[in-house]
Amino acid sequence: MTLQTKFSKEEFVILAEMNTPKGVDISDLVTNVRHLKSRIDAVVIPDMDNGVMHMSALAGGAIIRQQGLEPMIHIYGRDRNRMAIQGDMLAAHVLGIHNLLVVQGENIAHGDHQDAKLVDDLGELDLLGMVHSLLKGTDLAGFELKGKPEFFTGCQVQPIRDDDHLEEELKTAKAKVDAGAQYIMVPPVFDIAYYTQILNKFKSLNVPVIATVFMLKNVGMARYISINDPGSKLSEALITRIRKAKDRETECIHIAGEMIKELKTEVAGIKISASGWEDRLPAILDCAGL
Amino acid sequence: MKTESKLEKVLTSGALAVTSEVGPPRGAIPEKVRQKATLIKDHVDAINVTDNQTAMVRMSSWAAGVIIKQMGLDPILQMVVRDRNRLAMQSDIIGAYSMGINTMMCLSGDHVKFGDHPMANGVFDLDSVQLVQTVKKMRDEGKFQGGAEIKTPPKMFIGAAANPFADPFELRVMRLAKKVKAGADFIQTQCIFNLDKFEKYMEMVCDRGLDQQVHLLAGITPMKSAGMARYMKNKVPGMDVPDEVIKRMAGVSKEEQPEEGIKIAIESIQRLKEVKGVHGFHIMAIEWEEKVPQIVEKAGLFPRPVL
Amino acid sequence: MENFEPEIVAFCCHYCAYTAADMAGSKRISYPSNVKIIRIPCTGKVDAIHIMKALEKGADGVYVAGCLEGDCHFKNGNTRARHRVEYVQKYLEELGWEPERVAMMNMSAGMGEFFARTALEFTQKIKQLGPNPIKHMNINKNQKAVS
Amino acid sequence: MQKLKNSEDNKSNDKSVLVIGGGVGGIRSALDLAESRRNVILIDKSYSIGGLMTQLDRTFPTNNCDLCTISPHLSENTRQIHLDLKPMTQLEQLTGETGNFKATLVTEPRYIDMDKCTACGECYKHFPEAVRFTPGLDPRAPTCMRYPQATPYAFSIDIEKITDITALKKVCKADAIISDDTQKKIVIDVASIVLSVGAEMFDPSVLDNFGSGQFENVVTGLEYERIMSASGPFQGDLVRVSDKKRPQKVAWIQCVGSRGINKADVPYCSGVCCMYALKEAMVTKERFAESIETTIFYMDMRTFGKDYELYLNRAKNDYGIRMIRSRPHSIIENSKTKDLSITYAVEEAALQKTEEFDMVVLSTGFRIPETTIDLANRLGIELNPHNFAKTDHFNPVVTSKPGIYVCGVVESPKDIPETMVQASAAASMAASDLPAIMDMPEDENTFVPERDVSGEEPKIGVFICDCGLDIGGVVDVDKLVEFAGTRTDVVVSQAVGYGCSSDSMALIEASIKTNNLNRVVIGGCSPRTHETKFQDLMRRAGLNKYLVEIVNLRDQNTWAHMGQPKEALDKAFKLLGIGISGVRKSRPLMDQTLPMNQNALVVGGGVTGMTAALQLAGQGVKVYLVERAPVLGGLAKSIRKTIEGDDVGPFMNQLIDDVTAHENIQVLTRSIIVDHSGIPGRFKTGIQSGPRMNYMQLDHGVTILATGALQNRPDAYGLGTHNSIVTQFDLDALIEDDPEKIKAMNQVVMIQCVGSREPENPNCSRICCQTAIKNALRIKAIDPDIQIFILYRDIRTYGFQEDYYREARNLDIKFIKFSIDNKPEVWVENDRVSVFVDDMILGRKIQFETDCLALSTGMVADDETTEDLSMMFHLPRTLDHYFLEDHVKLRPVDMSVRGFFIAGTTHSPKTIRESITQAYAAAGRAQTLLAKKEINLGASIAKVDGTKCAACLICVRACPFSIPYINEDGYSYIDPAKCQGCGVCAADCPAKAIQLLAFEDDQIMAKLDGLFGGMN
Amino acid sequence: MITAEQKPLNEIIAYISPYDRILLVGCNECVTVCSAGGRKEVGLLASALNLHFLKQGRTIDIKEMTLERQCDPEYVEELVSEIDRADAILSMACGCGVQTIAERYKEKPVFPAVNTKFMGASESQGVWVERCKGCGDCMLGITGGICPVARCSKHLLNGPCGGTSNGMCEISPDVECAWCLIWERLKALGMENRYEEIMEAKDWRPAGGGGPRKIIREDLSL
């Protein structure tokens, strides 16, 4: 069953984010995928996430497909122009990658190729339009395609800074849905009550909403997020909880698991971002009772 | 008519059947059986006689059944596969039938772990479905399970149990179908407290057309107290007691709780009467047989048809 | 039994307990001389058999001392050691021996005082329990060997 | 006998580093350099190295002599190749410039062939006056015989005192006398120089008021150390010189000759005397009698170092040492009793009091001798007004002349840990004048091939140290020797004095060879510190290094049971039994090695982390610099000026630019460490960085922790409630940014020790006194009319900071003392801030209405961060949440987990300058590891016997590192290169098919047998 | 694998008390894997017995040996050199091993030191669970690879009884309902319809109902 059908059947969908390697050693990726195969519905492959050069998401998606899982790849306009992206999209279809997530390319100032040239040929809405066009069988230049690709395409919401920003993001998301986004992926928030409130707003756009569960790993990371991303509402109590725990790693896994449990009834699906700790995903799912 | 069973007659007539049960005593006290049976004799069509219920040793069900039969009533012989192998069970069936018992229930039985002989070996030579099959084969083909011919086969009206609430829910209708396919003529269900879920179950039963193939008697148990409701919910495997029911029981004073329990039972029957596929009620008033008449009457199931 | 001086074997892990014992020495913190340390890399190395054999050979008490829980140099050797000590305790109980003759302790490398304190407490406990019930046999055996 | 290479056969044309001075600092520098495979020449004018520290009896905090713990970290192999020790040698002339110095060295004649001398003592016995090696008699002589003080362990002849040279030659069985020995002069090429000549202790006999040199029972601190020392004049018994009786009342007088303005005084603070006085007082009570009354007369109690305040509290509270804040004017001797009376002012009561003491100890400080001034001239380096080496304001090991570095007391007065830090820093700096560490070739192995002992019956040699009196003073070593001799298979049993001294080592080596021993037991100190040393000995003797067993007779026996010699002796028998029985079952084993990862991870991008990163990067090391903030800089970015008046800003900007631009440094800002695994030399650390927390793993061989500390902002004295109440950090910025606002002030009050030296944060923040004075002086510079009051508990301007303290007093800055029980009070009324304090001298409460109340809050550890990191890295912390180094005195930069080093304020509060020093030191220590191409994993790994293995998978599941697997042959395989050696699998294996090498079951059983007499 | 568990020490002690020289024999097969009777457990038991008898003032001579497999006569033969020096044999093997020894050394009493439990699999380190009853007529092919005979408390062949809750068996919340597992598996395999077929009454003869069982491979027999 494809992701799209699962959404339409209102099944709770579990996505796991896995980065492609910076290099050609795919053993970790493949091992992690194998451990999760029966437990998740799809793997989200970011593309040059954080502006750090990695193996392309397209190849990552193809590997996931080979392992028998459904891939979902990021597309964005920072590094490629419309020619390259359209070409890649056609390739994606052929390689069995049918789930796309249109994202905003990360600022390369934080990445590892800070002197790279920005392309930014297409913005997020343009990309959605492009996909829409491909689905109809024409490219952006209006030429007819030989064979139409099929995609299930969604969009991403930026981290919410405050309530004003929330309204702004809501508006943007609506525009994206209007432009063809079939689902919305909402960034991580660590306060369930507040998160529910945000999710409800996005749910009003009438497309499936996917929440993001971001795995904390230690106090340092929790503190960093609480300081640098106040919109995540990461509370002092949560930091204290990790600090007080006998085994902090296990506690973090529990926290992620609990988040998922609580979000399960709120959203159409969740994406778990374990960033590098994909080998702990099975434990998180255990804690979430999935 | 397959058998001489009164229950079969009632059910075939299209009337809602009413059964209840008598647990045989833990001792050679035939009066106790008579006493209990007397309490309900006018209000039910047939009386289940339990077989070492909850894995506790009791007077054998077929002996107690004979006592009831001798009272001129109609016992339903319960038989669990836990305690006897196929030889013993078949011999008991012929024996019971010879004593005039013509209706029986084929059950798995509670695990010995719960009873007074947890060290006993559970036999489980056959399972309940296979027992249904065996009884049917004995009746319809005149053959023992092993294939040998029976001289004068027992004509048993065959019952089986169904628990609409145990897990997995989706399997419950299929399991019913399996029992029907094996040859069950009637089904008595586990106590029903979650009416919504039962109705959903019955919908699925009807969807499969099982209501046309088998008579289903809905299980009703009046609760004596909120404590009992909680106990049933938490401690009795496969029991579904919704929180509202517990809340409702707990919402009245302790003295009024038995009355409230009976009220709930009556309301349940009244609601379930309307449900497609429900052909009767099996009232399990555990150690509270004296309340059965009251329930039957107030639920509008009295008087019982005379056939 | 008043002058009973128990012989106690302490299996100490190199990284924490053994270092703590050194620390106790270097701080000149006194503890009963009854405790004899056998150094092992990690308490995870201590087999139930080592503890049993120590008793069999005549130890009046045996304890295993490792890093603080969660601080094992080898992740979880000390928790495994604790389970094994508990296993031996159960075994002893079955035999009608005092399970308190064996124990698990946890300390960090810097806890010299703690090492000394636990050594003292354990020695006192063993003194209360009295000698290893088979000790007299060993003595007999030795005497036999001599004669 | 192990010998250090003479310069003649120092074939290499490679440039060396010359280390001048063989005290602890010089030794540390030389060892660091040698360990990082740099050639180093260590010269000392004395006939053996060791310096001042060897004269001390015991040191803080463990109160024992730890010098011997330095040595075992250097393998003999490295020492032979890279370290050239030249005693009795001095630098005569230096020409050239950094990288290309030519040094002329002059070695005085020793008249003894060091290769032949066994230090048997025959010459000394016959010609005591002519032998310069005089252990145990002269109370002033450096007589601690422990390594490396007694290195080289050979006598030296004072030829002028000898009359009959032929007779002397005759008594020498070793034929080591060179009667015609001459002064030798050589010229060597050196790339850089580390000057570590220390200083002298002030001789108070020039003062006429304390009777030093006159009254027998007035001694200096150093003399007191000698009296208490086991190798001292009274064999470690504390007695009065006059009547050899145990004193009952001892007094210490602090700051004798220091912090003064009189003729013979120096103005600076010597920094170490408070601690040594406390230590001597405590040891007195601990070792000799609880009842001895100990009194310390002091001016300010300067326990500003890491955990020193706790030591002070222990002295006061647990030992009952009396502290009197007073500077006695003089001592008067009772000519009959030789008792001493001291008259002093009682501060609280403002009266004079006279008290009698049995002994008085004068706490004297450091002085630079004339010889050092000469040497400085020859080297061409500048000295400061106090004659200490003048150094860079931001790098205290850098002198005025490029290529010449200093460390230790010659730079400024300091204690052992700080000397050790500077020594490592100087070594690190000196090495940067050599080719980069990454380009150095591999060392060759100089050990002889191993003898195959398989098939031989065990032949065990037992050698027992007396460790001075540390072992022999508690138990009878002869009895131990006799006992060991009776054990089965023991063919040699003997006492060896200091077992780790080079002559004893040579003796053991010879015994192994002549007696064809194949197993060795050493009864001595802890194997934790000395196993490597004796393993090297085994290798030199041609035996596998795992055939030796160290029996811990000292740390775990005679030290712990010093009060119960009978019990200790019995335990020693048992311990030897264990060792002998155990060694019998030992087998020759091979060490496993893995390639070393030569990258470094530096955690923390403050001044410390950046300095360390730059230093390593300069050596060709790839450095990951991880910082959680968006920018580099850390706490130092918020500091404007140092007390010396230097601008911090430009310095920091330059540093940040250098780091950012360096091709070997990868700066990872906004990065958090999230996981860690691996072994020293091959670490793997996971970090997440950037706004989206990108995960990556870094491979590195070493880790430097420089996570810094936090500004303390305690809830005290109304901080945060009024904008006139600020911290010194705030004030520092205000002075720089808004001098007009300062000008508008009339009165400024500062309170010291805010949130420090309090029960909840018991340690001293170290920096606050100098910070307060720095800010006060700057305010005075803006407007001399502003009145400044500094309320303090002790002013701790150690070293040359004392100059600024004096300047402050000269500028009429008022210092008012308060006690912790009677702290100042702060009131805010009508927007005015008032401070009330009890003036002890005036004996009444005084009030200030102040325009600015500056609180000296110092710093606190970043508990949350150090806790997180300590858990991930498995590192210990102090009670107040700083990281705890491996050894507070001798290894102040190394952590307990090998491969981890620590620097800056995450170690303890310190100034920028001190942080930088430690950063260089950490980089230097890291290089000692990075210089290796491979890491030795030891031989203790799990091994599977395939014939016994049932392939049950229990080991596969039990291994904490997931190493074992079932191989093609159907049994468990444990990769020796990956096995960490915990032995969990061996213990769990139900078929007993797995053994942990070096800790095999039969060895453990044999040890139990040895203990319980099953086999003798 | 055959699983076993050490008997209570009292019972073992009672068996061997009358004897002075005990040959304690482990087995390097199943009982090693389930940590009941391998070399390590042999050592531990010997030690425990020593402690016990020494405490009583008795020294008994315990000789430890671990055979590759106690259920093969050839391996059992290896005891021959030790047997004369023993008054009794204490076996830590499963019942098969004990009997093989008993058969070979008829003159010596043989005692079991373990209770042979069941044919099981290891679920995780230190946890073994019953998986097979050896019924001789494997039906895993139609039950999705999960055995109702071994894993259903009532050996039900036609689906779960009414006592299942939350996928757990009525006998204990720690025991999974085999039929729930079978059902989930069948669903996952798209074989739901399998369930509806009635499984006929089982022939228990291959399960031992017909007396001790035996396998004869004509082609292999000599």
Side-chain angles (χ1 to χ4, degrees), chain E residues 161-210:
Chain E
C161 68
T164 324
S165 46
N166 298 323
M168 292 298 169
C169 174
E170 67 175 32
I171 66 154
S172 158
D174 303 328
V175 176
E176 286 174 301
C177 167
W179 273 102
C180 288
L181 296 176
I182 294 171
W183 173 244
E184 288 303 322
R185 175 62 68 84
L186 289 176
K187 266 202 303 189
L189 296 170
M191 296 180 177
E192 290 99 325
N193 50 356
R194 279 271 173 83
Y195 174 78
E196 300 225 12
E197 292 163 24
I198 294 182
M199 248 183 264
E200 300 291 326
K202 190 171 173 70
D203 182 349
W204 292 101
R205 277 170 296 185

Side-chain angles (χ1 to χ4, degrees), chain D residues 755-896:
Chain D
S756 308
R757 302 178 66 198
E758 304 253 2
E760 63 274 15
N761 182 28
N763 271 307
C764 165
S765 262
R766 184 182 180 114
I767 58 161
C768 323
C769 285
Q770 61 107 18
T771 308
I773 289 170
K774 170 184 79 177
N775 288 343
L777 290 174
R778 285 158 73 197
I779 292 171
K780 281 284 186 192
I782 291 171
D783 181 353
D785 292 334
I786 300 175
Q787 272 193 302
I788 304 176
F789 297 90
I790 299 182
L791 316 185
Y792 74 103
R793 289 171 57 193
D794 290 282
I795 286 292
R796 294 182 167 174
T797 43
Y798 52 93
F800 306 136
Q801 289 173 10
E802 188 71 12
D803 292 343
Y804 300 97
Y805 180 28
R806 195 175 53 254
E807 186 186 338
R809 278 174 296 163
N810 291 343
L811 288 172
D812 210 24
I813 294 167
K814 297 276 190 320
F815 289 83
I816 298 169
K817 189 176 162 75
F818 69 89
S819 77
I820 182 157
D821 320 311
N822 195 3
K823 291 198 277 190
E825 281 171 48
V826 174
W827 293 83
V828 180
E829 248 169 346
N830 304 329
D831 207 35
R832 292 291 293 164
V833 178
S834 305
V835 181
F836 297 84
V837 66
D838 267 336
D839 187 305
M840 286 189 188
I841 295 164
L842 298 176
R844 63 176 174 83
K845 216 174 207 50
I846 44 179
Q847 180 189 351
F848 307 98
E849 228 177 51
T850 178
D851 303 301
C852 174
L853 173 62
L855 303 178
S856 293
T857 52
M859 41 182 106
V860 284
D862 185 353
D863 180 19
E864 202 175 271
T865 302
T866 56
E867 184 181 50
D868 234 10
L869 294 176
S870 72
M871 282 187 172
M872 267 182 292
F873 295 142
H874 294 290
L875 296 173
R877 297 191 301 159
T878 61
L879 291 176
D880 46 357
H881 315 308
Y882 290 98
F883 279 113
L884 176 60
E885 62 273 34
D886 191 34
H887 191 290
V888 288
K889 263 213 137 54
L890 298 174
R891 285 159 65 78
V893 188
D894 295 55
M895 293 297 285
S896 59

Side-chain angles (χ1 to χ4, degrees), chain D residues 47-48 110 119 124 128 130-135 145 149-150 152-156:
Chain D
Y47 44 83
S48 63
R110 194 182 187 101
Y124 172 67
V131 174
R132 281 190 286 223
F133 186 88
T134 53
M145 290 179 25
Q149 186 275 325
Y153 197 72
F155 284 90
S156 169

Side-chain angles (χ1 to χ4, degrees), chain C residues 7 9 11 14 18-19 21-22 25-33 35-42 44-47 49-50 53-54 57-59 70-72 74-77 80 84, chain D residues 58 62-64 470 526-528 531 552 555-556 559-562 564 567 571 574-575 578 874 958 960-961 980-984 986-988 992 996 999 1001 1004-1005 1007-1009 1011-1012:
Chain C
E7 203 69 82
V9 176
F11 290 103
H14 175 85
Y18 193 89
T19 311
D22 275 0
S26 64
K27 287 189 171 173
R28 307 298 194 279
I29 305 164
S30 177
Y31 54 88
S33 66
V35 176
K36 314 288 186 299
I37 293 176
I38 291 184
R39 182 168 65 124
I40 32 151
C42 171
K45 168 73 184 77
V46 181
D47 193 335
I49 262 188
H50 300 151
K53 289 281 175 192
K57 288 172 198 290
D71 270 352
C72 175
F74 299 103
K75 294 188 183 175
N76 59 1
R80 305 186 68 86
R84 293 193 201 118
Chain D
R58 278 141 213 269
T62 53
N63 292 351
N64 68 63
D470 279 9
S526 175
R528 284 177 50 254
E531 197 167 41
N552 195 336
D555 304 35
Q556 292 181 4
W559 274 359
H561 315 307
M562 55 193 305
Q564 307 149 279
E567 284 80 2
K571 182 168 169 180
K574 300 263 168 66
L575 294 178
I578 295 175
H874 294 290
F961 306 97
Q980 312 268 309
C982 64
V984 164
D988 272 350
K992 284 274 143 231
L996 182 68
F999 294 94
D1001 286 325
I1004 291 175
M1005 292 305 161
K1007 285 184 176 178
L1008 289 172
D1009 281 334
L1011 173 57
F1012 296 107

